[in-house]
Amino acid sequence: MSDNSTFEIEINGVTLEAHPDEMVIQVADRNGINIPRFCYHEKLSIAANCRMCLVEVEKAPKPLPACATPVMEGMKVYTDSPLARGAQKGTMEFLLINHPLDCPICDQGGECELQDVAMGYGGDVSSYTEGKRVVMDKNLGPLIATEMTRCIHCTRCVRFGQEIAGLREMGAVGRGEHTLIGTYIEQAISSEMSGNIIDVCPVGALTAKPSRYSARAWELNQSNSVAAHDCVGSNINIHTFRDQVNRVVPLDNEHINECWLSDRDRFSYEGLMHQDRLGEPAVLDHGEWTRQDWQIALARTAEILQTAVAEHGEDQVGILVSPNATLEEMYLLFRIADHLGISNIDHRLRQTDFSDQDNAPVSPSLGVAIAELDEQNAVLMIGSNICKEQPIIAHRLRKASLNGASIMSLNMRDYDTHFEQDEKLLGCPSGVINHLAAVTRAVLELNNQQAPSDLSDILAHNEPGDEHKRIATKLMDAEQGSVILGVQAISHPHYSVLEVLATQLAETAGVTLGYLTDGANTAGACQAGILPHRKTAGEDRADPGMDAGQMLSGTLKAYVLFNLEPEYDCWNAEQTIKVLTAAEHVVCLTPYVTDTMRGYADVLLPVTPYTETSGTFVNIEGNWQSFQGAVSAHAESRPGWKVLRVLGNLLDLSACDYMSSEQVREELASHVIDVAAGKPPVDRVPVKLFDQPDAGLQRLTGISIYGVDNITRRADSLQKTPVAQDQMIRINSKLAGKMQLRDMDRVFVKQANNRIRMELVIDDGVPDQCVWIPGGTEHTAQLGDLFGDIELEAD
Amino acid sequence: MSSEQQKRFGNVLTAPVCAEIDKWVANYPPEQKQSAVMSALRIMQEENGGWLTNELMDAVAYYLDMPRIAVYEVATFYSMYEHQPVGQNKICICNSISCMLNGSGKLLDYLQENLGVSLGEVTKDGKFSIKEVECLGACVGAPAAMIGKQYYEHLTPEILDKILQDLD
Ligand code: SF4
Ligand code: FES
Ligand code: FES
């Protein structure tokens, strides 16, 4: 609030404090005085078009809309006087003139603002006897169902698109009696936050397509939980019906997601009951899969682990853990591994360059609180398709940008954002490094500082251009600035170099260095000790084990996979499957099973997804957010922490008799006191020159927004959206010209030993000699490295 | 224009059309060039024989850097923009109070019968179409009509007939 002074106003005879720039409705809301409304929404601009909020104001000749009437000192407002009541009743009657009153067949019934307000403020009969308006619906895509005859033209959905999503797709077309809210042309709403218009719509005009007609609002139970698909940790409310997840809606948390939710977090639940769910433990016996009791399957698991360690040594066992596992699961996995002496344990599945891991923060963090992003003055994002990877963070950056911040990016593809980008640097994998070096040098020069000796070569090689200098200046001038390494930076083939340069850049420019990591619980994994070089709370391992890359480059005797599908979730799909198939034993603790998995596994243990277990995710601010299971475990599957506790007992792990996941968490918490304190820096990796253009074509990968994890990949409606359907590769027109390819041509993509057919789009946002490919999809589950050499062949 | 947009809108955003729109754009501060949307739509409509298509509206959105829906909103709000083909002579008969009291209804009946088309339709030869409009602001001369860009007042079916013959 710009002005901190306050004065007094009176509402319904009660004296209340008000700030000069407030509207009457805000003071009333803060004090629990109810004023009916439809168009007003706390997070949206004021439209004052529905007139439902009319109140009486002393000395005003007629009722005034509370949402658009600024407070004045000494003002006296009556929300309940005969005049106010009459005005509200009249408005309500007007609003219902064209409303179909079809509540019995409307999905909103029981949680409808129109219904509630009509009950509270409307009359019993309408004086209107003429025919009503009917509106033909347009299909808005697989996520949002429409019944526009019910629309009361409050324009909340329109304002949401314009102001919050930054993508104006809905509008009011026509005029007067013929005004319609819609898209005018038939098109799927494409914002990755589109589901929020379901929540803001006060009537049943916009409802959730996947869950509609499946349950009534009053039949649902709700549990608070935490979204499991990105590092933001949006707060959610899971609505369940007959012990099944029926839908997911946002839970207000001003510090994280406010009242919004990304479509991925909202609709991914559809994947939970997919037919691939593994119902009972199974063991491969002489080439045959047989279902087994938990006891037998766990005993077999323990035996595999013990024998592998005893016969081949601890370093012949590898443990790969999804960054979406809960903190409790991770900590127990760490304890079991530690007990068996195994240090080949990792969660960094889409990473390939681990050489600077000793300098990595103990727990990767955004560096500022999520809410503080709104107040940044300059942000440089490195390797991030922010709107698709962390939609809520993108929303925060959009707010910052609207506040006047400079948002800048350094990427391997020119990704669309729904906010202005002040500067965009684009490069192939080595180009990105050189750009970053140039910005770093520009900052050092502005500071009259010498290049540190280990960076002198690469900096000398990269003369800053005007664009680098502009970025440097903006970062230096920022009172609050951030350099953020995104998911694609972390997957970069020379991530260590990016990290060294970004660290230097942030330090010299005096801004924070932040990370936006893959998965929901990467920070938790680091704190729990799911790393080959560090134990719980970042304690160094005396004898570091193999990282995910090493574990999957040559075959070990035995592997344990926790909650992942390696062909989608690892750096090199093809190689991973080959290695796992060659391994003697693979134990999968997994909610889903596929034929691929049956092909390499020999024990399958059904563990539950996050909706069926209690647990904790640590978000990118370092916030430990715990949740309870919302529904019972499917069939014979069990929460991961319980399975691991029993496994721990079978392996004679001491003090492993936890009664609850809270106990597990408390124990870990007692070790993790202050991870933010960090570690003394060790010598950083030597940085070589990137002065040779790559010889052949280079693959670039952005993990598809709905391909990030096993649940999302099975969420049917999300998979039907245009963005999920877009499985095309992208090359720029220069390369297309050279290869004589046109838009929509089919080409063969060759990588590793595979050759698959894909369609192509010409996109000049892709750097020269590069082929951009969506990752986490069926096609790419057959290819090799996420970044690296690739070949294209015309069909 | 990027190559993709070039392909899409190149044939409607011709150099003369752009030049014409640019004149209107120049009337506003650069960051408010969308203020030229009404003129741009009018220019596009004239160029296309009196009516707009989705493609033309999209071209305007692209040219003025506006969300497409914002252009649709404007183009569907004002009754001067047409979304269906119209005749070479668009006959707009005022239906508002003064004209109604002075016999605009008769004019409409006469036209529909004489031209053999109903409201909103185009005669087979493509010459005429009829439309009802709100008050033309010519109440003193009621009943009034606008044909093309020309106002006609104190109309009777006979006078109208004469006018149509002259236009034919
Ligand atoms: S669809 Fe819903 S949110 Fe949108 S204008 Fe209509 S009533 Fe309001
Ligand atoms: S809520 Fe105030 S006018 Fe709609
Ligand atoms: S009423 Fe017809 S011109 Fe005004």
Side-chain angles (χ1 to χ4, degrees):
Chain A
M1 207 143 292
S2 49
D3 193 339
N4 278 326
S5 62
T6 59
F7 51 67
E8 283 176 350
I9 68 165
E10 207 178 86
I11 303 185
N12 299 343
V14 185
T15 308
L16 300 168
E17 198 163 274
H19 302 278
D21 44 8
E22 279 183 311
M23 298 294 162
V24 170
I25 206 168
Q26 290 173 296
V27 181
D29 280 357
R30 195 171 50 241
N31 291 286
I33 298 167
N34 194 32
I35 297 177
R37 84 282 312 269
F38 293 113
C39 68
Y40 174 75
H41 188 286
E42 210 190 349
K43 297 277 176 188
L44 303 175
S45 64
I46 290 167
N49 59 25
C50 77
R51 301 278 135 175
M52 192 62 225
C53 63
L54 291 174
V55 292
E56 182 177 350
V57 177
E58 199 182 70
K59 299 206 192 90
K62 34 178 203 166
L64 298 177
C67 72
T69 303
V71 291
M72 276 183 305
E73 192 158 1
M75 174 184 224
K76 289 192 174 136
V77 179
Y78 302 93
T79 68
D80 215 14
S81 64
L83 183 73
R85 274 288 181 166
Q88 291 158 3
K89 192 165 169 187
T91 306
M92 196 64 235
E93 188 175 346
F94 253 119
L95 284 169
L96 291 182
I97 279 184
N98 275 313
H99 189 79
L101 301 173
D102 58 346
C103 310
I105 55 153
C106 174
D107 206 48
Q108 190 94 346
E111 53 177 0
C112 175
E113 289 174 56
L114 191 69
Q115 232 178 11
D116 296 346
V117 174
M119 279 295 288
Y121 300 88
D124 300 332
V125 273
S126 169
S127 355
Y128 184 78
T129 52
E130 291 79 359
K132 296 193 178 214
R133 222 167 44 110
V134 169
V135 180
M136 289 306 176
D137 280 305
K138 291 248 159 60
N139 186 356
L140 297 189
L143 305 178
I144 298 161
T146 54
E147 196 64 70
M148 296 317 279
T149 304
R150 297 184 186 132
C151 167
I152 58 164
H153 299 174
C154 71
T155 68
R156 277 187 186 175
C157 57
V158 176
R159 283 173 284 146
F160 173 83
Q162 179 166 12
E163 295 162 18
I164 307 294
L167 198 61
R168 191 132 120 66
E169 297 176 284
M170 303 281 281
V173 294
R175 80 200 277 188
E177 158 92 345
H178 303 288
T179 307
L180 307 178
I181 297 288
T183 46
Y184 187 70
I185 49 163
E186 187 115 339
Q187 65 166 42
I189 299 281
S190 63
S191 161
E192 48 287 328
M193 301 263 278
S194 72
N196 292 299
I197 62 176
I198 298 165
D199 298 338
V200 298
C201 180
V203 305
L206 305 172
T207 52
K209 216 177 235 183
S211 61
R212 100 179 137 147
Y213 302 149
S214 55
R216 277 304 193 182
W218 56 86
E219 298 171 308
L220 299 170
N221 290 326
Q222 44 179 319
S223 332
N224 298 349
S225 190
V226 180
H229 309 288
D230 60 32
C231 60
V232 174
S234 291
N235 290 191
I236 55 174
N237 209 314
I238 301 181
H239 290 178
T240 64
F241 178 56
R242 301 199 179 128
D243 208 19
Q244 297 256 318
V245 177
N246 185 263
R247 62 178 184 185
V248 169
V249 296
L251 183 67
D252 286 16
N253 184 337
E254 276 307 300
H255 304 292
I256 299 179
N257 51 310
E258 305 169 64
C259 58
W260 313 122
L261 197 59
S262 67
D263 287 354
R264 185 166 61 201
D265 290 342
R266 183 188 297 265
F267 295 110
S268 62
Y269 72 87
E270 275 195 296
L272 292 168
M273 289 317 292
H274 191 269
Q275 67 210 34
D276 288 350
R277 270 304 288 274
L278 177 60
E280 56 257 327
V283 172
L284 189 66
D285 217 355
H286 299 101
E288 285 283 317
W289 279 104
T290 43
R291 59 153 305 207
Q292 284 295 0
D293 286 346
W294 269 107
Q295 246 176 338
I296 299 178
L298 279 172
R300 177 87 185 105
T301 305
E303 181 199 317
I304 288 176
L305 290 175
Q306 277 164 330
T307 334
V309 169
E311 287 177 8
H312 309 287
E314 298 85 7
D315 52 357
Q316 278 300 311
V317 183
I319 304 178
L320 295 165
V321 184
S322 155
N324 292 320
T326 66
L327 189 63
E328 292 77 358
E329 291 162 344
M330 288 168 165
Y331 178 57
L332 291 178
L333 279 162
F334 162 78
R335 284 204 61 204
I336 290 173
D338 199 42
H339 170 67
L340 294 171
I342 300 166
S343 45
N344 301 337
I345 183 167
D346 210 345
H347 71 279
R348 300 165 298 174
L349 307 175
R350 291 188 179 126
Q351 191 174 331
T352 187
D353 177 5
F354 303 90
S355 47
D356 199 34
Q357 62 181 7
D358 289 322
N359 275 314
V362 167
S363 179
S365 148
L366 188 54
V368 293
I370 289 172
E372 283 169 2
L373 283 176
D374 304 6
E375 279 124 47
Q376 299 295 303
N377 312 109
V379 177
L380 173 64
M381 298 180 295
I382 305 171
S384 173
N385 183 4
I386 190 75
C387 295
K388 303 283 186 254
E389 285 160 6
Q390 291 93 8
I392 292 287
I393 302 285
H395 164 61
R396 294 284 189 177
L397 291 179
R398 175 176 151 76
K399 287 211 278 184
S401 154
L402 294 175
N403 286 340
S406 306
I407 314 292
M408 304 168 283
S409 67
L410 167 52
N411 266 324
M412 289 169 276
R413 182 183 140 194
D414 183 0
Y415 292 111
D416 282 338
T417 51
H418 44 58
F419 46 80
E420 281 297 313
Q421 292 187 50
D422 284 46
E423 299 287 343
K424 285 181 181 179
L425 294 176
L426 200 67
C428 63
S430 40
V432 164
I433 292 179
N434 290 326
H435 276 310
L436 186 56
V439 177
T440 310
R441 176 164 151 192
V443 168
L444 284 161
E445 282 170 4
L446 280 172
N447 261 351
N448 288 325
Q449 252 170 284
Q450 282 289 311
S453 58
D454 60 334
L455 298 182
S456 55
D457 282 354
I458 191 165
L459 296 188
H461 176 69
N462 287 291
E463 177 84 37
D466 287 344
E467 64 279 25
H468 306 112
K469 287 182 189 154
R470 284 196 301 268
I471 295 179
T473 315
K474 285 192 173 131
L475 286 174
M476 297 270 297
D477 290 350
E479 207 170 297
Q480 295 187 57
S482 287
V483 172
I484 298 178
L485 288 163
V487 169
Q488 295 177 25
I490 298 173
S491 282
H492 189 283
H494 301 289
Y495 167 54
S496 61
V497 180
L498 287 178
E499 201 182 21
V500 166
L501 289 169
T503 311
Q504 183 68 51
L505 168 62
E507 200 183 288
T508 319
V511 299
T512 45
L513 173 64
Y515 297 79
L516 283 172
T517 51
D518 206 13
N521 203 15
T522 294
C526 294
Q527 298 186 12
I530 306 294
L531 284 170
H533 64 298
R534 287 178 185 162
K535 297 187 176 194
T536 302
E539 183 196 336
D540 284 325
R541 287 183 197 269
D543 209 355
M546 296 181 184
D547 54 53
Q550 289 163 335
M551 280 186 248
L552 292 170
S553 57
T555 299
L556 305 178
K557 291 290 174 206
Y559 289 90
V560 176
L561 307 183
F562 194 91
N563 193 15
L564 63 117
E565 293 178 289
E567 67 275 35
Y568 293 98
D569 297 331
C570 291
W571 162 261
N572 182 328
E574 204 243 354
Q575 165 82 5
T576 303
I577 296 300
K578 208 158 73 190
V579 162
L580 292 174
T581 315
E584 242 165 61
H585 296 294
V586 178
V587 177
C588 295
L589 292 96
T590 175
Y592 303 99
V593 62
T594 58
D595 286 341
T596 318
M597 200 179 277
R598 284 202 188 88
Y600 57 71
D602 31 10
V603 181
L604 293 169
L605 303 174
V607 294
T608 58
Y610 76 108
T611 44
E612 299 166 23
T613 176
S614 54
T616 304
F617 290 140
V618 184
N619 80 352
I620 200 64
E621 304 169 297
N623 217 330
W624 287 35
Q625 300 193 98
S626 298
F627 49 88
Q628 294 296 320
V631 292
S632 330
H634 164 69
E636 290 292 301
S637 62
R638 291 289 170 264
W641 73 268
K642 290 191 182 171
V643 174
L644 293 168
R645 177 194 58 189
V646 180
L647 183 63
N649 289 328
L650 290 174
L651 292 167
D652 298 322
L653 175 60
S654 62
C656 187
D657 39 16
Y658 307 98
M659 296 303 289
S660 66
S661 67
E662 285 77 15
Q663 238 181 355
V664 182
R665 189 191 63 214
E666 291 316 315
E667 185 179 313
L668 174 61
S670 68
H671 297 301
V672 182
I673 308 293
D674 186 11
V675 292
K679 311 171 69 69
V682 291
D683 284 344
R684 48 193 185 191
V685 286
V687 173
K688 63 167 180 133
L689 273 187
F690 290 85
D691 52 354
Q692 296 300 318
D694 298 307
L697 295 184
Q698 290 299 302
R699 171 178 170 183
L700 309 173
T701 304
I703 303 299
S704 164
I705 178 169
Y706 302 135
V708 288
D709 56 49
N710 50 9
I711 303 176
T712 312
R713 285 191 290 266
R714 291 179 170 80
D716 212 30
S717 304
L718 289 179
Q719 294 308 325
K720 287 190 191 128
T721 56
V723 358
Q725 300 275 313
D726 175 5
Q727 304 235 334
M728 291 183 278
I729 66 164
R730 290 167 182 265
I731 58 176
N732 66 17
S733 44
K734 204 158 141 195
L735 179 56
K738 205 156 79 185
M739 298 190 62
Q740 298 188 343
L741 292 169
R742 280 169 319 178
D743 241 358
M744 301 302 169
D745 272 355
R746 288 180 155 276
V747 286
F748 283 107
V749 177
K750 273 173 49 179
Q751 200 190 17
N753 300 315
N754 280 323
R755 184 165 178 269
I756 57 173
R757 232 164 146 211
M758 292 181 82
E759 243 175 274
L760 84 93
V761 183
I762 296 177
D763 177 349
D764 283 333
V766 176
D768 290 347
Q769 290 295 94
C770 288
V771 183
W772 187 91
I773 300 187
T777 65
E778 233 161 280
H779 284 305
T780 47
Q782 301 161 47
L783 294 177
D785 293 348
L786 295 181
F787 292 82
D789 294 335
I790 197 164
E791 283 171 58
L792 279 193
E793 234 173 57
D795 189 2
Chain B
M1 245 186 269
S2 75
S3 62
E4 201 181 312
Q5 307 287 0
Q6 179 84 53
K7 249 184 278 162
R8 214 172 143 216
F9 301 125
N11 58 329
V12 291
L13 287 173
T14 56
V17 165
C18 293
E20 191 66 20
I21 299 178
D22 287 344
K23 280 192 214 153
W24 289 92
V25 171
N27 290 342
Y28 307 102
E31 71 281 4
Q32 280 169 34
K33 63 176 173 201
Q34 67 258 43
S35 300
V37 64
M38 292 186 65
S39 316
L41 284 169
R42 180 177 49 72
I43 294 163
M44 284 291 199
Q45 170 159 303
E46 276 167 19
E47 200 62 22
N48 189 44
W51 66 294
L52 289 167
T53 60
N54 287 356
E55 192 202 8
L56 294 174
M57 293 188 281
D58 290 351
V60 169
Y62 163 70
Y63 197 71
L64 297 178
D65 198 13
M66 297 168 70
R68 288 182 303 170
I69 183 72
V71 175
Y72 305 153
E73 284 179 332
V74 173
T76 54
F77 185 87
Y78 294 101
S79 60
M80 300 84 93
Y81 300 117
E82 301 295 335
H83 298 272
Q84 298 292 330
V86 292
Q88 284 152 25
N89 301 291
K90 179 166 89 173
I91 310 170
C92 300
I93 304 286
C94 170
N95 69 0
S96 297
I97 185 74
S98 308
C99 296
M100 192 175 85
L101 292 174
N102 283 291
S104 63
K106 269 194 230 131
L107 296 180
L108 276 176
D109 291 346
Y110 171 77
L111 278 177
Q112 297 191 54
E113 191 163 329
N114 203 33
L115 295 174
V117 292
S118 7
L119 282 176
E121 290 178 356
V122 185
T123 54
K124 281 220 183 65
D125 59 4
K127 291 225 168 96
F128 298 104
S129 59
I130 329 167
K131 182 178 183 180
E132 248 186 309
V133 295
E134 305 298 327
C135 180
L136 286 169
C139 312
V140 262
M146 183 170 83
I147 306 178
K149 289 179 179 172
Q150 184 69 45
Y151 266 49
Y152 298 89
E153 300 181 350
H154 300 298
L155 292 171
T156 62
E158 294 71 42
I159 303 178
L160 202 50
D161 199 40
K162 173 92 185 23
I163 297 170
L164 295 195
Q165 269 168 23
D166 289 349
L167 286 171
D168 211 346

